[in-house]
Amino acid sequence: MSAPVDVTQQTFKSEVIESDIPVIVDFWATWCGPCKKLSPILDEVAQQFDGQVKVAKIDVDAERTLAMMYQVMSMPTVMVFKGGQKVDEFIGLRPKNEIVERVQAHL
């Protein structure tokens, strides 16, 4: 069973850019209500696509440089990386079925 991984500036390259599988990157904050609602949905997505997709979580308060690098202005911001490139992005809470469709488009 695949669980989301916490990513820092030091691990971003190895966990996201160099990943062999698509990576869903969740930019979140502890004070963000919609982030708290999105987190269990992403946990389910990580389990559903175990071995096919990785879910990475980035705390924007702890990792301000990464948030600035990817121009994260609102939370949650979710990006999908494939082959080291950003291939999709959405902002705000979304239903699981929409997230699943977006993930499947990149498998």
Side-chain angles (χ1 to χ4, degrees):
M1 181 165 69
S2 183
V5 294
D6 290 319
V7 173
T8 65
Q9 188 173 348
Q10 290 74 29
T11 62
F12 186 82
K13 184 178 178 191
S14 62
E15 291 287 354
V16 178
I17 302 299
E18 296 174 347
S19 177
D20 294 335
I21 58 176
V23 184
I24 301 166
V25 180
D26 176 22
F27 289 89
W28 67 281
T30 55
W31 45 264
C32 167
C35 297
K36 292 176 184 174
K37 293 178 181 174
L38 181 63
S39 186
I41 295 171
L42 292 178
D43 291 348
E44 291 175 18
V45 170
Q47 292 173 9
Q48 182 175 340
F49 291 97
D50 187 19
Q52 296 177 281
V53 170
K54 180 190 304 185
V55 175
K57 300 182 77 57
I58 297 175
D59 179 345
V60 296
D61 289 328
E63 299 298 332
R64 292 177 192 270
T65 301
L66 283 173
M68 288 186 340
M69 186 183 312
Y70 287 97
Q71 300 175 345
V72 174
M73 302 293 185
S74 300
M75 261 104 22
T77 293
V78 178
M79 298 179 187
V80 180
F81 285 79
K82 184 176 182 180
Q85 300 294 315
K86 182 175 77 168
V87 294
D88 197 2
E89 176 179 4
F90 64 87
I91 297 169
L93 181 61
R94 301 293 171 95
K96 182 181 176 185
N97 62 333
E98 180 183 331
I99 297 170
V100 166
E101 286 176 15
R102 286 174 175 266
V103 168
Q104 288 173 329
H106 301 291
L107 292 180

